[in-house]
Amino acid sequence: MKTESIVHKQTELVAYTRTSDFGRDAVGAISANLRQLLADVFALYLKTKNFHWHMTGRHFRDYHLLLDEQGEQIFGMTDDIAERARKLGRSTLRSIGDIASNSA
Ligand SMILES: [Fe+2]
């Protein structure tokens, strides 16, 4: 195990002991699920923006605006999910690669 990884695990453990009444396994399970949820929400956000950007046809304006509104709502979820994981003392997504590897 790399030193950086060990330090990261120790930091998470210290944060965990300070911030949570859950057992360590529960925190790990909740954090893993939050990470996957966050990855899925980012993926859904991008898919929604894809349709927003590429919408064509008679109802373009209505759907374009609807998808923009939905995209804003979906993106608005991301901060709460990520910060919930951080409050448990765990890390959350750090990159596009993390989104890809954690998405269901
Ligand atoms: Fe737009």
Side-chain angles (χ1 to χ4, degrees), residues 2-20:
K2 294 180 182 175
T3 303
E4 182 178 298
S5 180
I6 293 169
V7 169
H8 180 71
K9 292 283 183 200
Q10 287 175 335
T11 303
E12 284 190 344
L13 181 60
V14 168
Y16 151 76
T17 57
R18 289 183 188 156
T19 61
S20 177

Side-chain angles (χ1 to χ4, degrees), residues 49 52-53 64 68:
K49 293 302 280 191
H52 167 76
W53 294 324
H64 186 75
D68 200 29

Side-chain angles (χ1 to χ4, degrees), residues 14-76:
V14 168
Y16 151 76
T17 57
R18 289 183 188 156
T19 61
S20 177
D21 292 332
F22 292 114
R24 187 175 182 174
D25 290 345
V27 170
I30 292 167
S31 299
N33 280 290
L34 286 172
R35 199 166 22 259
Q36 182 179 343
L37 175 63
L38 184 59
D40 289 343
V41 169
F42 273 120
L44 179 61
Y45 171 73
L46 187 56
K47 288 178 182 180
T48 303
K49 293 302 280 191
N50 171 42
F51 286 109
H52 167 76
W53 294 324
H54 297 98
M55 178 63 58
T56 60
R58 288 183 349 165
H59 302 291
F60 166 80
R61 181 162 174 72
D62 290 338
Y63 291 144
H64 186 75
L65 294 175
L66 175 71
L67 291 164
D68 200 29
E69 184 179 323
Q70 288 183 351
E72 287 177 16
Q73 292 172 355
I74 292 165
F75 186 75

